[in-house]
Amino acid sequence: PHTIPAATEAAGYRITMEAVNNVIKHAQARHCWVKLVFVTQPSRLQITIEDDGIGIPQPVTPNVGLRSMRERAEELGGTFKMRPRPEGGTFICVTIPIPEESKPS
């Protein structure tokens, strides 16, 4: 078993909550899908949030929520990617690495 550090756990939770909150407030979506995956090679937490709403307004103007999601991921050496879904709506993928010292020996 692997241990996810508290900082990674907290960032993952906050990012997920902010993304779902954005779907509720802005997307006019019928569905929202959240997927959390622990990937082992290399160790990382991967979070995807998708919705079937109205999509991202162009050009994208990052609001406080989008900036905070990106900053939380990047503070821990991770990535934040957001793009329109081909079938409509928005796709967000966040990856946060799990530091080596968190793995069992």
Side-chain angles (χ1 to χ4, degrees):
H2 295 280
T3 302
I4 297 177
T8 303
E9 222 175 87
Y13 174 78
R14 299 264 187 217
I15 290 166
T16 303
M17 294 308 296
E18 182 62 38
V20 171
N21 188 45
N22 281 347
V23 171
I24 292 166
K25 286 171 59 176
H26 305 294
Q28 300 174 27
R30 292 189 62 221
H31 301 96
C32 177
W33 301 272
V34 176
K35 184 177 178 182
L36 299 146
V37 178
F38 180 80
V39 182
T40 56
Q41 293 297 323
S43 293
R44 63 196 183 278
L45 177 63
Q46 184 171 314
I47 305 164
T48 56
I49 303 100
E50 296 185 65
D51 69 70
D52 62 357
I54 59 173
I56 307 163
Q58 297 297 326
V60 175
T61 306
N63 60 21
V64 173
L66 290 176
R67 272 195 305 274
S68 72
M69 286 188 284
R70 179 178 301 282
E71 287 170 3
R72 286 180 198 279
E74 290 176 353
E75 276 175 0
L76 296 171
T79 61
F80 173 89
K81 296 177 183 167
M82 181 176 71
R83 62 174 167 75
R85 291 176 71 231
E87 51 285 277
T90 303
F91 174 86
I92 292 175
C93 182
V94 176
T95 302
I96 305 171
I98 306 295
E100 287 294 320
E101 59 270 11
S102 300
K103 297 180 199 172
S105 351

